[in-house]
Amino acid sequence: AQKITQTQPGMFVQEKEAVTLDCTYDTSDQSYGLFWYKQPSSGEMIFLIYQGSYDEQNATEGRYSLNFQKARKSANLVISASQLGDSAMYFCAMREGLFGSARQLTFGSGTQLTVLP
Amino acid sequence: DVKVTQSSRYLVKRTGEKVFLECVQDMDHENMFWYRQDPGLGLRLIYFSYDVKMKEKGDIPEGYSVSREKKERFSLILESASTNQTSMYLCASSLRDNNYGYTFGSGTRLTVV
């Protein structure tokens, strides 16, 4: 089974509007972390936001917020007031286990977001 | 301010060649990772290392090997390159107990002809 599922291969949003990128995850661990990364056409992976499984409040970072619904195992990214520079590929990722030796990130297939002027 | 450096941005190699992809980090991170990225598949883990000379297989290790002789350097080796290894390769590093401090390199786009 897929550990991270992103069901939207492509999304369009009008400039200045909000957009939600969907992510569901599957794990039997109680301790885990959820991440969102942005990858512009230049290729670098830019960290956006992190949510730990024990965090009671949804994470926010500027225009980014993570809508964490633990019971539904979803971790949707909300971008408010979209800008043209937000056009990029967005990846949801999960780290199972919060502490200890190397813990790799497991990634979803990504959502290509295009912001329209 | 570059923290994870991948030696080549673009590489073109012939089928059957031995290929080395190099990754260097200057943040004293214990953990290092190699991923490959393909359209529609996201990033898939090839190998990772949590210490010098230590390595662990990821989800798709077949056809690859790795080397970590120094803490700052993690090399990915394609023993005999094949066309299905044409892909974007991303290196990342993290501190051992840091929940979210993963830093990625800018990637190497490898084409095998």
Side-chain angles (χ1 to χ4, degrees):
Chain A
Q2 294 272 11
K3 288 196 172 183
I4 296 286
T5 303
Q6 294 181 254
T7 57
Q8 306 153 315
M11 288 279 286
F12 292 88
V13 65
Q14 209 69 39
E15 195 177 6
K16 299 180 185 176
E17 292 186 351
V19 63
T20 298
L21 306 184
D22 294 341
C23 173
T24 58
Y25 60 92
D26 183 27
T27 181
S28 55
D29 280 6
Q30 295 301 307
S31 301
Y32 53 89
L34 297 158
F35 302 72
W36 278 92
Y37 282 86
K38 171 184 178 181
Q39 187 182 44
S41 56
S42 54
E44 75 270 28
M45 296 286 282
I46 301 168
F47 167 74
L48 295 179
I49 197 165
Y50 167 83
Q51 178 89 39
S53 58
Y54 296 115
D55 296 340
E56 294 185 351
Q57 300 216 341
N58 286 344
T60 60
E61 290 286 349
R63 294 187 298 111
Y64 304 107
S65 61
L66 199 152
N67 184 359
F68 181 46
Q69 298 188 41
K70 196 169 182 176
R72 296 180 61 187
K73 293 190 174 178
S74 76
N76 298 339
L77 177 71
V78 181
I79 305 174
S80 63
S82 297
Q83 301 172 356
L84 295 178
D86 293 334
S87 293
M89 181 71 85
Y90 288 81
F91 289 99
C92 180
M94 176 175 64
R95 167 186 159 134
E96 293 175 287
L98 292 179
F99 301 102
S101 60
R103 297 282 187 171
Q104 66 269 33
L105 296 178
T106 301
F107 286 83
S109 55
T111 296
Q112 180 68 48
L113 176 67
T114 303
V115 180
L116 303 171
Chain B
D1 193 40
V2 175
K3 298 177 178 176
V4 178
T5 303
Q6 294 185 231
S7 54
S8 303
R9 190 77 175 96
Y10 298 96
L11 271 181
V12 180
K13 296 291 182 180
R14 295 196 179 277
T15 301
E17 275 193 76
K18 190 169 187 176
V19 181
F20 293 85
L21 302 184
E22 304 289 345
C23 176
V24 177
Q25 51 95 4
D26 63 1
M27 296 166 289
D28 204 33
H29 283 177
E30 290 86 5
N31 304 326
M32 296 188 76
F33 309 85
W34 274 107
Y35 290 87
R36 67 175 279 177
Q37 180 180 0
D38 300 288
L41 297 177
L43 281 72
R44 293 177 293 166
L45 182 67
I46 305 171
Y47 267 97
F48 64 98
S49 168
Y50 53 88
D51 205 345
V52 176
K53 296 191 185 293
M54 306 303 289
K55 60 185 178 184
E56 295 281 346
K57 292 180 180 179
D59 298 319
I60 50 164
E62 296 79 18
Y64 303 94
S65 62
V66 291
S67 172
R68 192 162 181 205
E69 296 297 318
K70 294 185 177 180
K71 189 176 185 179
E72 66 270 20
R73 185 180 296 269
F74 192 36
S75 303
L76 179 69
I77 304 156
L78 286 65
E79 297 291 343
S80 177
S82 64
T83 55
N84 63 14
Q85 291 178 311
T86 291
S87 186
M88 169 71 92
Y89 290 87
L90 287 160
C91 176
S93 70
S94 73
L95 284 168
R96 189 183 309 283
D97 288 324
N98 188 318
N99 289 340
Y100 50 84
Y102 295 84
T103 303
F104 283 82
S106 53
T108 296
R109 186 166 293 281
L110 173 67
T111 302
V112 182
V113 298

